[in-house]
Amino acid sequence: MKRPVLVAAFALSQVIAAAAQDQPMAMNQGQMNRLDRGGNGAVDRPEYQAFMTSAFGNLDRNKDGSLRSEEVAQVLNAQQFAATDANRDGKLSQTEFLNRVMADFKSADRSGDGSLQ
């Protein structure tokens, strides 16, 4: 699988599971398999989008429909947060969040087949 996107996905899953660590995390086959819901050995666009939609909901600790920098501090630094905050209102809407992570998915999908292997 393409590591940059999956490492980000894994980092988000670790925050969601309240198990984020201070050091970089490595992906293992079991973690990749959790994203590969179809069991075909690849994470396709719909699988990734569903995972990230769920991640947004879990990261939104105060359930206000947006993410503040404190809610995502373990997975986004200040520069990444600012780059994702398209309308510069100091929070990330679900649309802004998904636009960013899906753009990252597209960049990682070098073959253009809609999946990461």
Side-chain angles (χ1 to χ4, degrees):
M1 292 204 175
K2 297 172 183 164
R3 292 233 181 247
V5 172
L6 292 177
V7 169
F10 178 64
L12 285 170
S13 72
Q14 292 304 296
V15 169
I16 292 162
Q21 301 173 1
D22 292 332
Q23 51 197 326
M25 295 170 254
M27 292 290 291
N28 66 38
Q29 191 61 46
Q31 293 150 347
M32 288 187 255
N33 289 342
R34 283 194 310 188
L35 292 174
D36 179 16
R37 296 288 186 175
N40 63 352
V43 176
D44 62 28
R45 186 175 175 82
E47 288 169 329
Y48 192 74
Q49 187 163 351
F51 175 82
M52 288 301 182
T53 299
S54 177
F56 180 92
N58 287 310
L59 289 167
D60 183 13
R61 290 187 296 256
N62 65 4
K63 304 303 179 199
D64 68 351
S66 63
L67 300 175
R68 307 239 182 252
S69 60
E70 347 27 281
E71 290 175 301
V72 295
Q74 292 178 306
V75 293
L76 295 177
N77 65 34
Q79 184 179 8
Q80 293 166 325
F81 185 90
T84 304
D85 183 12
N87 65 3
R88 307 287 184 239
D89 66 353
K91 56 188 176 184
L92 303 181
S93 67
Q94 186 174 33
T95 299
E96 287 171 322
F97 178 79
L98 289 175
N99 284 346
R100 166 55 42 203
V101 297
M102 296 315 294
D104 292 344
F105 179 95
K106 184 176 180 178
S107 294
D109 179 16
R110 300 206 191 280
S111 68
D113 68 353
S115 68
L116 305 178
Q117 307 181 50

